[in-house]
Amino acid sequence: ANEVLKWNETALKAVVAGGQNPVQVTRTLAMVHAAVHDALHAILDCLGETIWAAQRGGTPPDSAAYLECICRK
């Protein structure tokens, strides 16, 4: 959750520095939050796949497969 707050702070600094009007700020923040949501969803989806595969195979989670899954998304 702290990373999401950092993204929010960074986006707010960028819109202030860019001198955006309120409508532009709203649009920019909406796009940032949509991207953060998509990234978090991909990370959690890959984590679920990795844990499921490990449980199914009776093996430890494969970190390389997890990272590969994230890169594919």
Side-chain angles (χ1 to χ4, degrees):
N2 289 338
E3 296 304 318
V4 174
L5 294 176
K6 288 179 186 176
W7 271 102
N8 194 45
E9 290 174 14
T10 301
L12 287 172
K13 287 178 186 175
V15 296
V16 168
Q20 293 184 350
N21 67 47
V23 173
Q24 293 169 320
V25 169
T26 302
R27 183 172 187 262
T28 299
L29 292 178
M31 289 189 304
V32 167
H33 284 280
V36 169
H37 174 271
D38 290 347
L40 288 172
H41 186 271
I43 289 168
L44 292 175
D45 189 44
C46 289
L47 181 60
E49 289 178 25
T50 302
I51 292 171
W52 181 80
Q55 289 176 340
R56 185 184 63 188
T59 60
D62 183 347
S63 59
Y66 172 65
L67 293 175
E68 183 180 318
C69 178
I70 292 173
C71 289
R72 280 194 318 265
K73 297 193 183 241

